[in-house]
Amino acid sequence: MTRTATRLILPALLGLSLLGCTDTPDLDAAIPASEQQGSYPPLVPVETLLAQAEAPRLDDTEDEALAARAAALRARAVRLKSQ
């Protein structure tokens, strides 16, 4: 092994060995006790999920409202850039 390779490998091994000395966070503490003791979510047929995914989410009035909101946000962005 060349001297350059040794100079690269030794610090890498030292760094990896130091990672083993760290304290890992307690991931179970991040989940509230009410959710740990709760029941599993209900299972639904995949056809139901696919039908919900294919159904349109916006109707004609919501489409116009969304376009108006987008235009208002663009106008606000222009005002903020000019300040």
Side-chain angles (χ1 to χ4, degrees), residues 54-71:
E54 292 173 0
R57 296 178 134 188
L58 296 176
D59 60 12
D60 293 335
T61 59
E62 290 173 339
D63 190 31
E64 293 168 0
L66 184 61
R69 183 167 185 254

Side-chain angles (χ1 to χ4, degrees), residues 40-79:
Y40 288 103
L43 296 177
V44 294
V46 72
E47 291 82 15
T48 306
L49 297 174
L50 291 176
Q52 289 175 355
E54 292 173 0
R57 296 178 134 188
L58 296 176
D59 60 12
D60 293 335
T61 59
E62 290 173 339
D63 190 31
E64 293 168 0
L66 184 61
R69 183 167 185 254
L73 288 172
R74 285 188 192 98
R76 181 179 178 207
V78 169
R79 284 193 314 269

Side-chain angles (χ1 to χ4, degrees), residues 10-23:
L10 288 177
L13 288 176
L14 178 65
L16 289 174
S17 64
L18 288 175
L19 284 175
C21 298
T22 62
D23 291 329

